[in-house]
Amino acid sequence: MLIKSPKSHTLREAHITPETAYVSRRRVLAGLGAGIGSLLLARQSHGLDLLGGKSRQAAPRKPLTFTAHKPAPELILTPEPKVITHNNFYEFGTGKTDPAENSQHLKTEPWTLRVEGEVEKPATVDVWKLMNEIGLEERIYRMRCVEAWSMVIPWVGFELGKFLQRFAPTSRARYVAFETLYDPEQMPGQRNRYVGGGVDYPYVEGLRMDEAMHPLTILSVGLYGKTLPPQNGAPIRLVVPWKYGFKGIKSIVKIKLVERMPPTSWNKLAPQEYGFYANVNPAVDHPRWSQASERFIGPGGLFSVKRQPTLPFNGYGEEVAGLYSGMNLKKFY
Ligand code: MTE
């Protein structure tokens, strides 16, 4: 297996290549520590059929009933076709179009979510029933990937904090641990480490309790008014708008409240590159590229990707900076 050590110039490709060119290329990450966004080994789509894309027909999405808010005038939405074809979901391959191509057969209904750990009332929740009774709202958020691209997405969901209160967290609950479905039969990246980018599956993520309880933090069940497509994390995923996109764990089956900081997938793979906190911070560069600016994937055609400055806490500093007062954000990246 060819393993190229990552060099900073290899990462520039996404910065200078028109979006349509780089999203159509499939990549397989080879080896540990490669990191998100590394260009390591390209595989032609007619090459090894490791991904097993069973069905190219889009999985049906249901319309949702939700409360809409007046959108902030400065936010320009990323068009829906781009939101659902430019994805990171390594369980379905590491190329940006792999998740849309290879996840359409994922069985998302029925789906249960287990909430346990430091709670007085652990329970297993039927996610589809939950969608009907919880009261959904639309949240239009900026989304900043650690790879230095960004979108603006109209999510539909509910506040994680309000949801967690149902289970009566104990005083020992200091962190929240999340887990994605582990099902190698349905997820080719979990069957083959080259397809899955070397991630140790199931994909896991975590938040500090106060981050989880913050009203900006949501569990999303939809986007653009309809249920999530599989490639975006159907039927339920996390959205934390002031953190890098990799915190937004997809297709969640378990939430556990815990006393100690839980392990997180990208931190396990490359701890020097991806921290637990992962707050969007233009002043703290990724070891292999700058985080000072980003390519906004917005409306328009081929050359519409716009470079713009990255905002501290992705523009949500007023609401969340207080969570980190006194903390050295270079050390706790
Ligand atoms: N969740 C799982 N289970 N597997 C993944 O590979 N990728 C993360 C995150 N959640 C990922 C995941 C990364 S790196 C990003 S940037 C976002 O999902 C991308 O979300 P999107 O495809 O909906 O834009």
PDB file of all heavy atoms in Angstrom, residues 93-116:
ATOM      1  N   GLY A  93     -17.155   6.077   2.391  1.00  0.00           N
ATOM      2  CA  GLY A  93     -16.048   6.451   1.514  1.00  0.00           C
ATOM      3  C   GLY A  93     -15.559   7.858   1.824  1.00  0.00           C
ATOM      4  O   GLY A  93     -16.281   8.668   2.405  1.00  0.00           O
ATOM      5  N   THR A  94     -14.317   8.122   1.410  1.00  0.00           N
ATOM      6  CA  THR A  94     -13.690   9.391   1.794  1.00  0.00           C
ATOM      7  C   THR A  94     -13.815  10.492   0.739  1.00  0.00           C
ATOM      8  O   THR A  94     -13.484  11.637   1.009  1.00  0.00           O
ATOM      9  CB  THR A  94     -12.189   9.160   2.095  1.00  0.00           C
ATOM     10  OG1 THR A  94     -11.599   8.594   0.933  1.00  0.00           O
ATOM     11  CG2 THR A  94     -11.993   8.241   3.284  1.00  0.00           C
ATOM     12  N   GLY A  95     -14.270  10.151  -0.459  1.00  0.00           N
ATOM     13  CA  GLY A  95     -14.464  11.176  -1.483  1.00  0.00           C
ATOM     14  C   GLY A  95     -15.711  11.990  -1.168  1.00  0.00           C
ATOM     15  O   GLY A  95     -16.643  11.488  -0.529  1.00  0.00           O
ATOM     16  N   LYS A  96     -15.737  13.230  -1.630  1.00  0.00           N
ATOM     17  CA  LYS A  96     -16.861  14.107  -1.286  1.00  0.00           C
ATOM     18  C   LYS A  96     -18.194  13.633  -1.869  1.00  0.00           C
ATOM     19  O   LYS A  96     -19.246  13.922  -1.319  1.00  0.00           O
ATOM     20  CB  LYS A  96     -16.565  15.546  -1.745  1.00  0.00           C
ATOM     21  CG  LYS A  96     -15.456  16.217  -0.942  1.00  0.00           C
ATOM     22  CD  LYS A  96     -15.912  16.540   0.474  1.00  0.00           C
ATOM     23  CE  LYS A  96     -14.800  17.183   1.298  1.00  0.00           C
ATOM     24  NZ  LYS A  96     -13.833  16.211   1.840  1.00  0.00           N
ATOM     25  N   THR A  97     -18.170  12.931  -2.992  1.00  0.00           N
ATOM     26  CA  THR A  97     -19.430  12.452  -3.565  1.00  0.00           C
ATOM     27  C   THR A  97     -19.740  11.001  -3.162  1.00  0.00           C
ATOM     28  O   THR A  97     -20.825  10.497  -3.458  1.00  0.00           O
ATOM     29  CB  THR A  97     -19.408  12.553  -5.113  1.00  0.00           C
ATOM     30  OG1 THR A  97     -18.282  11.825  -5.601  1.00  0.00           O
ATOM     31  CG2 THR A  97     -19.319  13.994  -5.564  1.00  0.00           C
ATOM     32  N   ASP A  98     -18.800  10.353  -2.490  1.00  0.00           N
ATOM     33  CA  ASP A  98     -19.027   8.953  -2.086  1.00  0.00           C
ATOM     34  C   ASP A  98     -20.259   8.774  -1.205  1.00  0.00           C
ATOM     35  O   ASP A  98     -21.056   7.853  -1.434  1.00  0.00           O
ATOM     36  CB  ASP A  98     -17.800   8.395  -1.346  1.00  0.00           C
ATOM     37  CG  ASP A  98     -16.631   8.105  -2.277  1.00  0.00           C
ATOM     38  OD1 ASP A  98     -16.855   7.996  -3.488  1.00  0.00           O
ATOM     39  OD2 ASP A  98     -15.490   7.988  -1.774  1.00  0.00           O
ATOM     40  N   PRO A  99     -20.446   9.632  -0.164  1.00  0.00           N
ATOM     41  CA  PRO A  99     -21.614   9.397   0.704  1.00  0.00           C
ATOM     42  C   PRO A  99     -22.933   9.436  -0.070  1.00  0.00           C
ATOM     43  O   PRO A  99     -23.778   8.547   0.107  1.00  0.00           O
ATOM     44  CB  PRO A  99     -21.524  10.532   1.727  1.00  0.00           C
ATOM     45  CG  PRO A  99     -20.072  10.867   1.786  1.00  0.00           C
ATOM     46  CD  PRO A  99     -19.582  10.702   0.369  1.00  0.00           C
ATOM     47  N   ALA A 100     -23.101  10.412  -0.959  1.00  0.00           N
ATOM     48  CA  ALA A 100     -24.354  10.480  -1.713  1.00  0.00           C
ATOM     49  C   ALA A 100     -24.504   9.260  -2.622  1.00  0.00           C
ATOM     50  O   ALA A 100     -25.602   8.749  -2.822  1.00  0.00           O
ATOM     51  CB  ALA A 100     -24.409  11.768  -2.529  1.00  0.00           C
ATOM     52  N   GLU A 101     -23.384   8.789  -3.151  1.00  0.00           N
ATOM     53  CA  GLU A 101     -23.459   7.656  -4.083  1.00  0.00           C
ATOM     54  C   GLU A 101     -23.678   6.323  -3.380  1.00  0.00           C
ATOM     55  O   GLU A 101     -24.279   5.424  -3.944  1.00  0.00           O
ATOM     56  CB  GLU A 101     -22.162   7.563  -4.891  1.00  0.00           C
ATOM     57  CG  GLU A 101     -22.068   8.600  -5.978  1.00  0.00           C
ATOM     58  CD  GLU A 101     -20.711   8.567  -6.680  1.00  0.00           C
ATOM     59  OE1 GLU A 101     -20.064   7.500  -6.692  1.00  0.00           O
ATOM     60  OE2 GLU A 101     -20.301   9.610  -7.194  1.00  0.00           O
ATOM     61  N   ASN A 102     -23.160   6.194  -2.166  1.00  0.00           N
ATOM     62  CA  ASN A 102     -23.106   4.865  -1.548  1.00  0.00           C
ATOM     63  C   ASN A 102     -23.977   4.664  -0.320  1.00  0.00           C
ATOM     64  O   ASN A 102     -23.915   3.608   0.301  1.00  0.00           O
ATOM     65  CB  ASN A 102     -21.649   4.552  -1.189  1.00  0.00           C
ATOM     66  CG  ASN A 102     -20.760   4.604  -2.402  1.00  0.00           C
ATOM     67  OD1 ASN A 102     -21.002   3.911  -3.385  1.00  0.00           O
ATOM     68  ND2 ASN A 102     -19.769   5.470  -2.366  1.00  0.00           N
ATOM     69  N   SER A 103     -24.755   5.677   0.044  1.00  0.00           N
ATOM     70  CA  SER A 103     -25.516   5.547   1.298  1.00  0.00           C
ATOM     71  C   SER A 103     -27.012   5.427   1.081  1.00  0.00           C
ATOM     72  O   SER A 103     -27.767   5.325   2.056  1.00  0.00           O
ATOM     73  CB  SER A 103     -25.258   6.774   2.184  1.00  0.00           C
ATOM     74  OG  SER A 103     -25.848   7.931   1.600  1.00  0.00           O
ATOM     75  N   GLN A 104     -27.461   5.438  -0.160  1.00  0.00           N
ATOM     76  CA  GLN A 104     -28.915   5.544  -0.386  1.00  0.00           C
ATOM     77  C   GLN A 104     -29.689   4.328   0.111  1.00  0.00           C
ATOM     78  O   GLN A 104     -30.888   4.404   0.357  1.00  0.00           O
ATOM     79  CB  GLN A 104     -29.221   5.824  -1.860  1.00  0.00           C
ATOM     80  CG  GLN A 104     -28.603   7.129  -2.370  1.00  0.00           C
ATOM     81  CD  GLN A 104     -28.897   8.331  -1.467  1.00  0.00           C
ATOM     82  OE1 GLN A 104     -30.027   8.510  -1.027  1.00  0.00           O
ATOM     83  NE2 GLN A 104     -27.887   9.140  -1.165  1.00  0.00           N
ATOM     84  N   HIS A 105     -28.996   3.208   0.275  1.00  0.00           N
ATOM     85  CA  HIS A 105     -29.679   1.996   0.754  1.00  0.00           C
ATOM     86  C   HIS A 105     -29.718   1.915   2.280  1.00  0.00           C
ATOM     87  O   HIS A 105     -30.297   0.979   2.831  1.00  0.00           O
ATOM     88  CB  HIS A 105     -28.943   0.761   0.216  1.00  0.00           C
ATOM     89  CG  HIS A 105     -27.525   0.709   0.716  1.00  0.00           C
ATOM     90  ND1 HIS A 105     -26.517   1.449   0.144  1.00  0.00           N
ATOM     91  CD2 HIS A 105     -26.983   0.071   1.764  1.00  0.00           C
ATOM     92  CE1 HIS A 105     -25.396   1.240   0.814  1.00  0.00           C
ATOM     93  NE2 HIS A 105     -25.651   0.425   1.802  1.00  0.00           N
ATOM     94  N   LEU A 106     -29.100   2.870   2.983  1.00  0.00           N
ATOM     95  CA  LEU A 106     -29.058   2.799   4.449  1.00  0.00           C
ATOM     96  C   LEU A 106     -30.479   2.746   5.019  1.00  0.00           C
ATOM     97  O   LEU A 106     -31.315   3.577   4.680  1.00  0.00           O
ATOM     98  CB  LEU A 106     -28.320   4.028   5.020  1.00  0.00           C
ATOM     99  CG  LEU A 106     -28.221   4.087   6.555  1.00  0.00           C
ATOM    100  CD1 LEU A 106     -27.291   2.995   7.084  1.00  0.00           C
ATOM    101  CD2 LEU A 106     -27.726   5.464   7.015  1.00  0.00           C
ATOM    102  N   LYS A 107     -30.710   1.767   5.873  1.00  0.00           N
ATOM    103  CA  LYS A 107     -32.064   1.592   6.432  1.00  0.00           C
ATOM    104  C   LYS A 107     -32.203   2.520   7.633  1.00  0.00           C
ATOM    105  O   LYS A 107     -31.643   2.261   8.699  1.00  0.00           O
ATOM    106  CB  LYS A 107     -32.244   0.126   6.841  1.00  0.00           C
ATOM    107  CG  LYS A 107     -33.673  -0.250   7.120  1.00  0.00           C
ATOM    108  CD  LYS A 107     -33.777  -1.776   7.287  1.00  0.00           C
ATOM    109  CE  LYS A 107     -35.194  -2.252   7.457  1.00  0.00           C
ATOM    110  NZ  LYS A 107     -35.846  -1.833   8.684  1.00  0.00           N
ATOM    111  N   THR A 108     -32.928   3.614   7.443  1.00  0.00           N
ATOM    112  CA  THR A 108     -33.026   4.621   8.504  1.00  0.00           C
ATOM    113  C   THR A 108     -34.348   4.543   9.268  1.00  0.00           C
ATOM    114  O   THR A 108     -34.553   5.284  10.217  1.00  0.00           O
ATOM    115  CB  THR A 108     -32.873   6.038   7.912  1.00  0.00           C
ATOM    116  OG1 THR A 108     -33.885   6.228   6.919  1.00  0.00           O
ATOM    117  CG2 THR A 108     -31.507   6.240   7.295  1.00  0.00           C
ATOM    118  N   GLU A 109     -35.234   3.677   8.854  1.00  0.00           N
ATOM    119  CA  GLU A 109     -36.531   3.546   9.502  1.00  0.00           C
ATOM    120  C   GLU A 109     -36.879   2.070   9.638  1.00  0.00           C
ATOM    121  O   GLU A 109     -36.848   1.362   8.621  1.00  0.00           O
ATOM    122  CB  GLU A 109     -37.594   4.243   8.642  1.00  0.00           C
ATOM    123  CG  GLU A 109     -38.838   4.566   9.395  1.00  0.00           C
ATOM    124  CD  GLU A 109     -39.822   5.428   8.580  1.00  0.00           C
ATOM    125  OE1 GLU A 109     -39.471   5.886   7.476  1.00  0.00           O
ATOM    126  OE2 GLU A 109     -40.933   5.600   9.075  1.00  0.00           O
ATOM    127  N   PRO A 110     -37.153   1.546  10.841  1.00  0.00           N
ATOM    128  CA  PRO A 110     -37.171   2.244  12.121  1.00  0.00           C
ATOM    129  C   PRO A 110     -35.757   2.595  12.610  1.00  0.00           C
ATOM    130  O   PRO A 110     -34.777   2.029  12.108  1.00  0.00           O
ATOM    131  CB  PRO A 110     -37.817   1.221  13.058  1.00  0.00           C
ATOM    132  CG  PRO A 110     -37.462  -0.116  12.453  1.00  0.00           C
ATOM    133  CD  PRO A 110     -37.409   0.099  10.979  1.00  0.00           C
ATOM    134  N   TRP A 111     -35.670   3.482  13.580  1.00  0.00           N
ATOM    135  CA  TRP A 111     -34.372   3.896  14.134  1.00  0.00           C
ATOM    136  C   TRP A 111     -34.565   4.220  15.611  1.00  0.00           C
ATOM    137  O   TRP A 111     -35.459   4.991  15.953  1.00  0.00           O
ATOM    138  CB  TRP A 111     -33.873   5.141  13.404  1.00  0.00           C
ATOM    139  CG  TRP A 111     -32.427   5.459  13.675  1.00  0.00           C
ATOM    140  CD1 TRP A 111     -31.934   6.140  14.758  1.00  0.00           C
ATOM    141  CD2 TRP A 111     -31.296   5.134  12.866  1.00  0.00           C
ATOM    142  NE1 TRP A 111     -30.565   6.249  14.656  1.00  0.00           N
ATOM    143  CE2 TRP A 111     -30.152   5.636  13.501  1.00  0.00           C
ATOM    144  CE3 TRP A 111     -31.141   4.459  11.657  1.00  0.00           C
ATOM    145  CZ2 TRP A 111     -28.864   5.499  12.978  1.00  0.00           C
ATOM    146  CZ3 TRP A 111     -29.867   4.315  11.130  1.00  0.00           C
ATOM    147  CH2 TRP A 111     -28.747   4.836  11.784  1.00  0.00           C
ATOM    148  N   THR A 112     -33.733   3.629  16.431  1.00  0.00           N
ATOM    149  CA  THR A 112     -33.834   3.958  17.853  1.00  0.00           C
ATOM    150  C   THR A 112     -32.559   4.635  18.336  1.00  0.00           C
ATOM    151  O   THR A 112     -31.473   4.388  17.813  1.00  0.00           O
ATOM    152  CB  THR A 112     -34.107   2.702  18.714  1.00  0.00           C
ATOM    153  OG1 THR A 112     -33.092   1.747  18.448  1.00  0.00           O
ATOM    154  CG2 THR A 112     -35.485   2.130  18.452  1.00  0.00           C
ATOM    155  N   LEU A 113     -32.744   5.475  19.336  1.00  0.00           N
ATOM    156  CA  LEU A 113     -31.634   6.210  19.938  1.00  0.00           C
ATOM    157  C   LEU A 113     -31.662   5.893  21.431  1.00  0.00           C
ATOM    158  O   LEU A 113     -32.671   6.124  22.103  1.00  0.00           O
ATOM    159  CB  LEU A 113     -31.855   7.712  19.683  1.00  0.00           C
ATOM    160  CG  LEU A 113     -30.959   8.704  20.398  1.00  0.00           C
ATOM    161  CD1 LEU A 113     -29.501   8.481  20.044  1.00  0.00           C
ATOM    162  CD2 LEU A 113     -31.363  10.131  20.025  1.00  0.00           C
ATOM    163  N   ARG A 114     -30.562   5.363  21.924  1.00  0.00           N
ATOM    164  CA  ARG A 114     -30.462   5.005  23.342  1.00  0.00           C
ATOM    165  C   ARG A 114     -29.824   6.165  24.116  1.00  0.00           C
ATOM    166  O   ARG A 114     -28.771   6.668  23.706  1.00  0.00           O
ATOM    167  CB  ARG A 114     -29.601   3.738  23.451  1.00  0.00           C
ATOM    168  CG  ARG A 114     -29.323   3.275  24.853  1.00  0.00           C
ATOM    169  CD  ARG A 114     -30.521   2.591  25.454  1.00  0.00           C
ATOM    170  NE  ARG A 114     -30.301   2.329  26.885  1.00  0.00           N
ATOM    171  CZ  ARG A 114     -31.279   2.097  27.749  1.00  0.00           C
ATOM    172  NH1 ARG A 114     -32.533   2.076  27.352  1.00  0.00           N
ATOM    173  NH2 ARG A 114     -31.010   1.871  29.025  1.00  0.00           N
ATOM    174  N   VAL A 115     -30.451   6.594  25.192  1.00  0.00           N
ATOM    175  CA  VAL A 115     -29.869   7.640  26.044  1.00  0.00           C
ATOM    176  C   VAL A 115     -29.630   7.014  27.416  1.00  0.00           C
ATOM    177  O   VAL A 115     -30.564   6.493  28.043  1.00  0.00           O
ATOM    178  CB  VAL A 115     -30.789   8.871  26.160  1.00  0.00           C
ATOM    179  CG1 VAL A 115     -30.111   9.955  26.997  1.00  0.00           C
ATOM    180  CG2 VAL A 115     -31.131   9.424  24.770  1.00  0.00           C
ATOM    181  N   GLU A 116     -28.371   7.023  27.866  1.00  0.00           N
ATOM    182  CA  GLU A 116     -28.033   6.300  29.099  1.00  0.00           C
ATOM    183  C   GLU A 116     -26.855   6.948  29.812  1.00  0.00           C
ATOM    184  O   GLU A 116     -26.420   8.039  29.449  1.00  0.00           O
ATOM    185  CB  GLU A 116     -27.708   4.834  28.749  1.00  0.00           C
ATOM    186  CG  GLU A 116     -26.526   4.713  27.796  1.00  0.00           C
ATOM    187  CD  GLU A 116     -26.182   3.272  27.420  1.00  0.00           C
ATOM    188  OE1 GLU A 116     -27.109   2.459  27.249  1.00  0.00           O
ATOM    189  OE2 GLU A 116     -24.978   2.986  27.292  1.00  0.00           O
TER     190      GLU A 116
END
